Amino acid sequence: MYNNNKDTDSIKQDTQLADNVKQEEKEKKPKKLFTYINLDKISKKAINIFVVISVLLLVGVLFGYLIRAIVLKG
Amino acid sequence: MSENKKSFSEKLKQGLEILKQSPKNIYDKTKKEILNNIDRKKKAIENFKTLDKKEKITFVKEKLIDNALYIIIFLFVIGVSIYNSKFISKASIINIVNQSAPRLIMALGVGGIIVLTGTDLSAGRIMAFVSIITASLLQSTDYASKMFPSLKFSPWLILLSFIISIIIGGLFGALNGLVVAKFKLHPFIVTLGTQLILYGLILWYVSLGSNNNQPLGGVDRTYGNVILGGFTLGSKENGIYISNYLWYALIITVIMWTVWNKTKIGKNMFAVGSNEEAAAVSGVSVFLTIVVVFTIAGVLYSFTGMIETVRVGSNSPSTGVEYELDAIAACVIGGVSFMGGVGKIRGIIMGVLLLQIVQAALVFLDLTSAPQKMVKGIIILLASAIDMRKYIAKK
């Protein structure tokens, strides 16, 4: 419902504020062509954990299979 | 009219002068770049020496994490070589290089699209479609299950199929690029759609003529020699056989290196990939850049298709499955950033070779395709994690 108590100036101010917020949000958006992930919101610690898990997985799988092959051969 | 002629001849003379100078310019520029690189490395070493102990440890740790993938693969390769010395035999190395060559051509196409922060899921199907069309046109005249029995083989058909292949690849690439650039749709979804369209076309095409959905084989020996023919380097007994398609891959790689590093379109591609808005403000046509990069990629897939027609031998609708994933993986491993604007041709070569080496090593461990896929998946995860880490560090 339209608020009758508000005068024209305050409505204009509100509109201006809303426009400013929209503009700021627009500027905050990444300027990449296509974005898979917004890395600005991810901490370096989280990425480091991801790297460590991936390294452990790869080392485990690759060397696990290598050790398995050596054991089977032996 | 005479003025026009005069200006044309002047322009021609100027062009010839530039052409005469260009090899020297390219040589000078390359020499300068190499010297600059050496200077930069010397400075980096000097800077490292000035660091205190704690900073040195942090520096080494960072370098180790950034190169973790390469270190793990290197150690794994050493392990497999100890387990089975045949892995580092000449035959094995030649096999790895042979397997890598066609995939490298495809990866070079996908690499350009990833630099634009895109991806291409239709690469494998474009390649398969070209492969099937080439096979159907170039079957031997006396082949029993010929798809089009009335079509007699002639060397001219090789040229015709080459042109048709390039047009098909280029058209599908351009279609992808147009839709992406015009409607700002994500390449993932656009190329997924194209992939399905192409799969439908492949299924329809193999049912044509008297083929009855059978795999297409029996490609004429003349075309076989164009691709698989070659020469032996060294003695006949112990020499290395180099197939023609390795040369094709090498030539295409050199051309793509030139396109990426020495041409306007290459520079625009990196500019659009880094920051689309900034590129547009600087006067780069974002639309044209996207379309051209996708079209070049399409043409490169068709080159892979033309090679695989003979190399695979039997071309069916399942040809080319997962080729695009291998190409994307190779690019990510080679440091082509999914964040856009970053990537090098030598990185893509490295990525393709590393992926192929790991696959070959797993075969030497007598592993089935299931663990191979698992390993490939983990490698992609690690490569993208390192890529994200580098991106954050740069910011």
Side-chain angles (χ1 to χ4, degrees):
Chain A
M1 282 290 284
Y2 179 69
N3 187 354
N4 286 320
N5 296 331
K6 275 193 171 181
D7 56 15
T8 327
D9 283 348
S10 68
I11 292 168
K12 269 186 184 173
Q13 268 181 349
D14 287 352
T15 320
Q16 186 67 39
L17 265 172
D19 283 348
N20 287 347
V21 170
K22 270 185 191 173
Q23 188 61 33
E24 273 174 22
E25 277 176 3
K26 210 178 170 184
E27 281 167 5
K28 272 182 194 169
K29 275 184 185 171
K31 283 164 186 165
K32 293 276 179 187
L33 193 56
F34 314 105
T35 318
Y36 289 90
I37 186 166
N38 189 356
L39 282 173
D40 301 331
K41 289 179 182 169
I42 298 170
S43 68
K44 199 179 173 184
K45 199 180 169 188
I47 296 286
N48 279 340
I49 293 168
F50 184 25
V51 172
V52 170
I53 291 171
S54 311
V55 167
L56 289 176
L57 257 174
L58 188 63
V59 169
V61 172
L62 283 181
F63 290 92
Y65 277 121
L66 181 62
I67 292 164
R68 176 179 164 267
I70 292 167
V71 170
L72 283 176
K73 199 183 179 186
Chain B
M1 188 73 180
S2 62
E3 272 180 16
N4 276 346
K5 268 188 180 176
K6 202 180 170 185
S7 66
F8 177 74
S9 64
E10 274 172 6
K11 276 180 187 171
L12 196 70
K13 269 182 193 171
Q14 279 175 356
L16 284 171
E17 281 299 314
I18 292 167
L19 268 180
K20 273 181 196 168
Q21 288 171 1
S22 59
K24 197 178 175 296
N25 285 345
I26 289 170
Y27 172 76
D28 287 343
K29 273 184 187 171
T30 317
K31 198 177 156 187
K32 210 176 169 185
E33 275 172 22
I34 292 167
L35 288 173
N36 282 343
N37 273 340
I38 293 168
D39 279 347
R40 234 177 286 150
K41 277 180 185 157
K42 273 182 188 169
K43 272 179 194 167
I45 292 166
E46 278 166 20
N47 286 341
F48 180 75
K49 281 175 186 168
T50 57
L51 298 176
D52 62 37
K53 201 182 170 187
K54 203 180 169 187
E55 283 171 334
K56 274 181 186 171
I57 291 168
T58 315
F59 180 82
V60 173
K61 207 173 86 185
E62 290 289 312
K63 284 282 164 200
L64 279 175
I65 294 173
D66 283 351
N67 297 299
L69 185 60
Y70 304 120
I71 295 166
I72 294 168
I73 291 175
F74 180 70
L75 292 175
F76 178 63
V77 165
I78 291 174
V80 177
S81 316
I82 295 166
Y83 167 75
N84 190 339
S85 59
K86 279 183 186 167
F87 177 61
I88 45 165
S89 68
K90 199 166 67 183
S92 167
I93 293 166
I94 292 169
N95 184 41
I96 289 169
V97 174
N98 283 342
Q99 296 275 345
S100 306
R103 283 161 197 270
L104 171 64
I105 302 173
M106 182 176 269
L108 290 171
V110 175
I113 297 172
I114 298 178
V115 169
L116 289 178
T117 61
T119 190
D120 195 345
L121 297 180
S122 65
R125 294 291 181 202
I126 294 177
M127 185 231 101
F129 193 40
V130 165
S131 167
I132 280 168
I133 288 176
T134 310
S136 70
L137 292 174
L138 300 176
Q139 282 176 317
S140 296
T141 311
D142 54 354
Y143 185 62
S145 327
K146 201 165 156 58
M147 188 173 181
F148 303 115
S150 56
L151 191 72
K152 307 283 178 221
F153 178 80
S154 125
W156 285 106
L157 270 178
I158 296 177
L159 185 69
L160 182 73
S161 73
F162 177 79
I163 294 166
I164 291 173
S165 300
I166 298 290
I167 291 171
I168 289 172
L171 274 178
F172 275 101
L175 175 74
N176 282 336
L178 273 171
V179 177
V180 167
K182 185 72 187 167
F183 304 111
K184 301 281 172 200
L185 280 169
H186 199 290
F188 183 90
I189 207 73
V190 175
T191 55
L192 182 69
T194 324
Q195 185 205 55
L196 287 170
I197 294 168
L198 277 155
Y199 190 47
L201 281 172
I202 291 167
L203 289 173
W204 164 76
Y205 192 80
V206 291
S207 67
L208 289 178
S210 55
N211 193 53
N212 203 19
N213 298 315
Q214 293 303 307
L216 289 152
V219 175
D220 197 87
R221 203 173 282 176
T222 317
Y223 184 62
N225 283 334
V226 172
I227 304 294
L228 298 178
F231 64 92
T232 311
L233 205 72
S235 66
K236 273 195 176 176
E237 292 81 27
N238 296 316
I240 304 166
Y241 186 75
I242 299 178
S243 304
N244 288 338
Y245 70 87
L246 287 181
W247 291 113
Y248 304 150
L250 186 71
I251 293 165
I252 291 168
T253 308
V254 172
I255 293 171
M256 286 313 292
W257 182 87
T258 316
V259 170
W260 277 35
N261 298 296
K262 302 286 170 194
T263 65
K264 198 177 163 188
I265 186 70
K267 285 179 175 105
N268 289 352
M269 178 180 84
F270 283 102
V272 172
S274 299
N275 190 330
E276 185 201 356
E277 280 178 17
V281 170
S282 317
V284 174
S285 169
V286 176
F287 178 85
L288 196 68
T289 307
I290 296 172
V291 174
V292 171
V293 170
F294 271 88
T295 310
I296 292 173
V299 172
L300 291 175
Y301 309 151
S302 53
F303 279 125
T304 306
M306 283 184 270
I307 292 171
E308 292 298 79
T309 304
V310 188
R311 221 179 60 86
V312 172
S314 170
N315 299 280
S316 68
S318 63
T319 304
V321 170
E322 288 186 11
Y323 267 54
E324 66 279 353
L325 302 183
D326 282 352
I328 295 168
C331 290
V332 179
I333 294 166
V336 182
S337 175
F338 260 113
M339 307 305 154
V342 178
K344 278 181 179 144
I345 295 286
R346 67 162 184 262
I348 298 177
I349 299 171
M350 184 96 156
V352 172
L353 279 172
L354 278 181
L355 205 60
Q356 217 56 52
I357 287 169
V358 172
Q359 264 181 344
L362 292 172
V363 170
F364 269 84
L365 296 181
D366 294 326
L367 294 173
T368 56
S369 68
Q372 285 181 31
K373 287 185 198 306
M374 224 159 66
V375 168
K376 214 185 284 177
I378 300 168
I379 288 176
I380 296 171
L381 272 183
L382 178 57
S384 47
I386 292 169
D387 178 33
M388 281 196 268
R389 203 176 168 278
K390 279 181 190 167
Y391 180 80
I392 286 181
K394 206 189 265 180
K395 284 201 92 181

